[in-house]
Amino acid sequence: IQNIETYVLGQYLLFDERSYQNLEIERNLRNGGTRGTLIGVIDKTLTAMGGRRLREWIRYPLVDPLQIGLRHDAVEESLENLRTTQGLREHLKKIQDIERIQGIITMGHANARDLVALKRSLMALPEIWALLKDFTAPGFHPELSFDILGDLADLMEASIREDAPPTIQDGGIIKPGYHAELDELIQISREGKGWLVKLETREREATGITTLKVRYNKVFGYYLEVPKARLAHVPEHYVRKQTLVNAERFITDELKQFDSKVWGAEDRRATLEYRIFQDIRQKIMDRKDDLQATAQFIARLDCLTALAVVADENAYSRPELNPEGRILIADGRHPVIEKMISGERFVPNSVELDEQQQVLIITGPNMAGKSTILRQVALTTLMAQAGSFVPAGHASLGVTAVSY
């Protein structure tokens, strides 16, 4: 939580939950799925953040003509520059849920894989910023510097391994070359494994026990294991550690010293890596405001470009906003039904309402489409005030503040 804001109901078109359900905006009445819903038609967002933001726009349409117009301006410019829009969307596909990752990091629960996902998202931003320079609509310009998070991306690129495990306390998450002391401890561990191979070969030659093995467990550390059939060949300097059914386990002074050195190095390595990871995570937490602002802008960009794609695919037009409260929809279509029917064309229809003609009486037999046109007008109004283009040849709409 960054701050507290006053929530003003008058900023949005208000409609009750029953209307929201009956219009099948987000869930259909048949089985609660998204098929056959407005969201199912217009949600072409590519990020989790954009998907959430689009649902917010649809659930809370604006009533300020200026703000609505700013969204329409951005959608129109995106529609007029489809090649650049498609380039933006290709880069949006690379962006993970920055809002969710930031929340996990802020709560102290993020692992290395979360940071890798965040890094990949931030590394996609420079290409997005470069393409946005071709746009002039205010909706495409963030309230932050374009290169504000480049240093965080560089930090994670230099420090966090791409193949990091899901745990953060067992090591294996920091790249070689990032921290000198850690590199030294890793080298000790690596050399130790080679030393063990040489020790096993040397002890087999010295004792003549070809089945002798050097092994390790968390209880005893490193030890020499000899089958019981070869116990007569065990040297006197071997100290018995454990007796098994078919073998005996021994330790030597040399192996004990090695165990202390390497085990200590492994333990220090894991502890140091965890501390380094915590430091990196804290540096990211310190930039939570910048991350949140970036996530919010990416969500907005995703919505605007998605609405442009929907308008292009479905031949939507930019609605005109009039101050007279007039509703004029010429050659209007139901945005959902026209996508659901197959093998036939949705027949467009026109509706006009103004101060002199405030009520229409719609008659016809069952299944003639009376409720369809009612919902069509409602959805067209809602889409327009959410910032979307609408399924009509032309539409001039007064801003609706309350739905009864």
Side-chain angles (χ1 to χ4, degrees), residues 146-310:
F146 280 144
D147 60 353
I148 195 169
L149 293 171
D151 59 327
L152 278 190
D154 293 341
L155 170 64
M156 290 181 283
E157 172 65 16
S159 60
I160 305 297
R161 292 172 58 110
E162 290 282 338
D163 59 348
T167 58
I168 59 176
Q169 294 183 333
D170 298 327
I173 58 179
I174 303 299
K175 283 184 176 181
Y178 179 72
H179 195 280
E181 182 182 352
L182 178 62
D183 289 343
E184 182 180 354
L185 293 173
I186 292 174
Q187 185 64 26
I188 292 174
S189 300
R190 186 179 295 120
E191 291 175 352
K193 292 176 182 177
W195 185 86
L196 287 172
V197 173
K198 293 178 181 178
L199 173 67
E200 185 177 83
T201 301
R202 189 173 74 244
E203 290 299 318
R204 284 180 177 182
E205 293 175 353
T207 62
I209 306 173
T210 58
T211 52
L212 180 149
K213 296 178 181 178
V214 177
R215 290 185 170 175
Y216 169 84
N217 66 34
K218 292 183 179 181
V219 177
F220 297 109
Y222 292 97
Y223 56 85
L224 301 164
E225 185 171 287
V226 178
K228 282 195 172 181
R230 306 302 302 276
L231 290 179
H233 299 276
V234 172
E236 292 183 359
H237 68 279
Y238 277 27
V239 178
R240 183 178 281 103
K241 290 287 291 184
Q242 187 182 22
T243 300
L244 304 178
V245 175
N246 298 315
E248 296 276 354
R249 292 175 176 175
F250 299 88
I251 188 72
T252 65
D253 289 339
E254 183 181 22
L255 193 55
K256 189 182 298 183
Q257 292 175 4
F258 170 84
D259 190 8
S260 176
K261 177 183 177 182
V262 173
W263 176 248
E266 289 282 357
D267 192 38
R268 294 198 305 275
R269 170 192 174 180
T271 300
L272 180 58
E273 278 206 59
Y274 181 60
R275 192 178 77 234
I276 295 170
F277 178 77
Q278 285 183 310
D279 291 342
I280 296 169
R281 191 166 61 183
Q282 183 60 51
K283 290 177 181 177
I284 299 171
M285 288 171 62
D286 293 341
R287 304 288 293 281
K288 60 183 183 298
D289 291 350
D290 295 336
L291 283 169
Q292 188 173 62
T294 300
Q296 291 173 351
F297 174 73
I298 290 298
R300 185 174 78 205
L301 175 64
D302 195 7
C303 286
L304 294 172
T305 56
L307 290 176
V309 170
V310 171

Side-chain angles (χ1 to χ4, degrees), residues 41-42 310-311 314-318 333 335 338 383 388-392:
V41 172
I42 70 171
V310 171
N314 300 306
Y316 291 175
S317 63
R318 175 171 180 165
R333 304 167 339 252
E338 73 168 351
M383 291 172 66
S388 172
F389 282 19
V390 297

